[in-house]
Amino acid sequence: METVKTLKLRIKDKHAKALLAMARDVNTVWNFCNETQYRSLRRYTNKPQLWLSGFDLQKLTSGFSKCEGVSIGSTTVQVVCEEFATRLRQFKKQRLNWRVSDKKSPKYSLGWIPFKAKALAYKNGQVRFKGISLGLWDSYGLSKFEFRAGSFNEDSRGRWYLNIVIKCQTEDKPVQYGASAIGIDLGLKTMVTDSNGQKFEPKQWYRESEAALGIAQRAHKKKRVKAIHAKIANQRKDAIHKETARLVREHAIIFVGNVNAKALAKTRMAKSVHDAAWTTFRTQLKYKAMRQCVVFEEINEAYSTQTCSCCGIKPASSPKGRAGLGIREWTCSECGAVHDRDTNAAKNILAAGLRRLAEGIPAL
């Protein structure tokens, strides 16, 4: 069975100058699309407004790649136009943010160079793109894969990466390692608590590096600040990868609570919410479950903490509202069952998920 997945490989630093020149040309195309769209709306204020499609923008940018000094090809220009039109529809705005090429500007846009399938060729440990051979650290063995679309991206430290979608072969029947169903509650005190009572309590990486980060920020050492942030992100991502891989190996059905990370990130708990990385955890768990044919669903977790997982009643003794956030264990006043707060919520999520599967209703 054929599947696709995205690989990320680091480009060697000596090619950064050439990639930055291409990224500036990409920004020029994006900003032209942005200005053209905005002017078209201002022109037709008393008439039906004209929203340009990707095809319209491609016609307007035809021939840009042949201009003197331009280092990107026509296919890259076309992808930029399509991406702009897609984001315009997604955010429903008259104009998107400009892409800034000046690195000294606080609004500098990290480099981005998209490309279509077959624009990239691999040979002798290098990728060939737009007449330039780019060295990279190939830990996957790219020669055995068929390339599809992708992009080059820059990170905050000025390092460049190749993100390439590949076509690969998998077994028709992926191996099922586990046979159990599990519910997962995401939290701040404990990042992951499952319905079996197991807890995943990773380190609070940001808080551990907060002192060093503050020293670097007060000393105006921008490179050091970026390096610390990158280390924190890598530590967090590595721990989450290991935990999600374990869950997919050991279970056949996984239900996760749909906690709203975006809303909680706007509260006083923002620092802890970002450090918990709930969205990253759910994203990794979802694609790994799909790869192994494990059932994965997000379940509405409303009242999962307040409801007793034994009798199904919301007793008066259950923790409620902000006043109850500090209550980690409680006893049901109806049936007398003693609950760990997070384990009880995970059991209710599991029960809700199984009910929805039995009724044939798609989970939320």
Side-chain angles (χ1 to χ4, degrees):
M1 182 175 64
E2 284 188 349
T3 61
V4 295
K5 62 180 180 179
T6 303
L7 304 180
K8 183 177 182 179
L9 303 98
R10 186 178 165 193
I11 303 292
K12 295 186 177 179
D13 293 339
K14 62 182 179 180
H15 304 296
K17 187 176 180 180
L19 292 171
L20 278 173
M22 295 184 188
R24 285 193 291 270
D25 292 335
V26 168
N27 293 348
T28 300
V29 177
W30 179 278
N31 292 338
F32 172 80
C33 295
N34 211 7
E35 180 66 19
T36 304
Q37 173 61 62
Y38 186 63
R39 285 188 177 185
S40 70
L41 294 179
R42 288 175 61 88
R43 181 177 180 182
Y44 298 100
T45 53
N46 299 325
K47 300 177 182 179
Q49 292 184 328
L50 178 63
W51 294 89
L52 299 176
S53 66
F55 180 73
D56 296 328
L57 295 170
Q58 287 172 4
K59 289 192 294 183
L60 294 172
T61 55
S62 177
F64 174 79
S65 60
K66 297 180 181 178
C67 294
E68 184 178 354
V70 175
S71 55
I72 57 175
S74 58
T75 56
T76 296
V77 174
Q78 292 170 6
V79 177
V80 174
C81 293
E82 292 172 359
E83 184 70 13
F84 175 84
T86 300
R87 296 294 164 251
L88 201 67
R89 291 192 301 270
Q90 177 184 357
F91 296 110
K92 299 178 181 178
K93 291 184 177 181
Q94 293 185 347
R95 184 176 64 187
L96 300 179
N97 293 335
W98 303 104
R99 291 193 62 85
V100 181
S101 300
D102 184 6
K103 280 204 166 188
K104 295 181 180 179
S105 171
K107 296 183 179 181
Y108 171 72
S109 303
L110 297 179
W112 167 62
I113 309 165
F115 54 83
K116 290 186 177 181
K118 299 184 180 179
L120 207 70
Y122 181 85
K123 187 177 181 181
N124 299 329
Q126 295 180 325
V127 290
R128 188 79 175 170
F129 177 72
K130 196 52 182 164
I132 303 175
S133 295
L134 303 171
L136 46 74
W137 282 274
D138 181 13
S139 56
Y140 296 100
L142 291 179
S143 58
K144 61 186 177 183
F145 298 117
E146 179 182 344
F147 293 167
R148 304 188 75 175
S151 65
F152 294 97
N153 292 86
E154 180 189 18
D155 69 3
S156 60
R157 291 186 289 176
R159 297 179 177 182
W160 282 85
Y161 296 86
L162 167 66
N163 303 296
I164 184 72
V165 179
I166 61 166
K167 187 183 295 184
C168 56
Q169 296 287 337
T170 60
E171 296 181 5
D172 291 338
K173 294 182 179 180
V175 178
Q176 288 285 357
Y177 296 101
S180 60
I182 194 170
I184 293 176
D185 177 65
L186 301 178
L188 297 178
K189 293 287 185 181
T190 303
M191 181 178 173
V192 174
T193 304
D194 64 34
S195 51
N196 296 328
Q198 295 183 353
K199 298 178 182 288
F200 173 54
E201 301 180 78
K203 295 180 180 179
Q204 293 183 315
W205 300 280
Y206 181 83
R207 295 186 183 278
E208 287 190 353
S209 303
E210 206 168 11
L213 189 60
I215 293 172
Q217 288 173 334
R218 288 190 292 271
H220 303 289
K221 296 181 178 179
K222 294 183 179 180
K223 289 186 177 180
R224 178 60 181 159
V225 171
K226 291 177 180 178
I228 293 174
H229 276 300
K231 181 179 179 181
I232 294 169
N234 290 335
Q235 288 175 323
R236 182 185 296 119
K237 192 182 297 182
D238 178 69
I240 292 176
H241 268 301
K242 292 176 180 176
E243 177 65 11
T244 51
R246 182 191 69 82
L247 290 170
V248 171
R249 277 199 311 270
E250 296 180 0
H251 305 286
I253 302 175
I254 300 175
F255 300 111
V256 181
N258 65 340
V259 59
N260 191 341
K262 187 176 181 179
L264 288 174
K266 297 178 181 179
T267 66
R268 293 182 179 180
M269 300 182 289
K271 191 179 294 186
S272 297
V273 171
H274 287 303
D275 214 17
W278 293 328
T279 303
T280 301
F281 178 85
R282 284 184 296 207
T283 301
Q284 289 190 14
L285 192 60
K286 183 177 181 178
Y287 80 74
K288 290 178 182 179
M290 292 173 62
R291 188 181 300 171
Q292 294 295 335
C293 292
V294 172
V295 176
F296 173 86
E297 298 288 357
E298 289 190 26
I299 302 298
N300 185 359
E301 64 168 13
Y303 304 107
S304 60
T305 301
Q306 302 178 21
T307 304
C308 174
S309 58
C310 294
C311 63
I313 296 174
K314 285 185 282 189
S317 59
S318 63
K320 296 179 177 66
R322 292 188 176 184
L325 288 177
I327 301 175
R328 309 315 303 173
E329 292 186 358
W330 58 280
T331 303
C332 178
S333 56
E334 298 293 331
C335 65
V338 179
H339 296 296
D340 174 86
R341 175 194 182 98
D342 298 330
T343 303
N344 176 69
K347 289 180 179 179
N348 285 325
I349 290 171
L350 173 61
L354 292 175
R355 282 197 304 270
R356 297 186 70 88
L357 283 184
E359 295 168 0
I361 302 174
L364 298 178

